[in-house]
Amino acid sequence: MQAAARQKPAPEIVSFDRLELREILNLYGRKVAEGEWRDYAIDFNAQEAVFSIFRRACEYPLYRIFKNPRLARKQGAFSVVAASGVVLKRGHELKNVIRVLDKKLTLVSG
C-alpha cells in the first residue's frame, strides 16, 4: 500500500474536447469532400494537442492546429501553423482561428 502512495500521479494530457473536435472535423470533412485534404493525425501530450492535416498520408502535414492551454491568457490557446512553420492565426476561440483554413480563393482581374 505504501508503494502506491509514493507513486506520482499520471501527468494530465492536453486534448481537444468534443465541441472543439466537432469544429475541426466539420472543416476537415468539407475539405475532404472538395478533394483538398486526404488524411489527418491527432497527437496529445502534457503541453499541447495537435491536429495535423495531410494532402496524402505519406507527406508532411499541410497544416497543424494546436491547442496549448499555457498560452490561453496571452496569445490564445489555439493556433494554425502552415507546413513552413508560419503561424497563420492565433486566438482564444477555435472557431475563429480555423476560419483561416476555410477561406475561398477568389479570382482577381486587373
Side-chain angles (χ1 to χ4, degrees):
M1 194 70 164
Q2 290 179 352
R6 283 187 245 145
Q7 290 180 351
K8 294 181 183 177
E12 287 194 32
I13 301 290
V14 176
S15 63
F16 296 105
D17 66 31
R18 183 177 295 196
L19 296 174
E20 293 163 350
L21 235 108
R22 183 174 54 179
E23 290 292 330
I24 293 170
L25 291 174
N26 283 342
L27 170 64
Y28 178 78
R30 285 193 306 274
K31 293 296 190 172
V32 167
E34 293 171 6
E36 291 186 40
W37 299 344
R38 305 244 186 230
D39 202 6
Y40 71 91
I42 303 175
D43 298 305
F44 306 109
N45 62 46
Q47 287 81 34
E48 62 191 5
V50 183
F51 187 96
S52 301
I53 300 162
F54 299 86
R55 184 168 310 198
R56 291 181 195 86
C58 62
E59 292 184 347
Y60 54 88
L62 291 173
Y63 303 104
R64 289 173 295 158
I65 301 168
F66 287 90
K67 177 182 180 180
N68 187 334
R70 291 181 301 155
L71 300 175
R73 290 186 178 200
K74 297 177 183 177
Q75 309 163 17
F78 301 101
S79 61
V80 173
V81 179
S84 62
V86 174
V87 177
L88 300 177
K89 185 147 183 162
R90 273 180 208 215
H92 298 280
E93 292 185 30
L94 177 65
K95 193 172 197 169
N96 294 334
V97 172
I98 64 173
R99 198 176 293 157
V100 72
L101 298 175
D102 209 14
K103 303 262 180 180
K104 299 284 184 189
L105 296 176
T106 56
L107 180 62
V108 178
S109 57

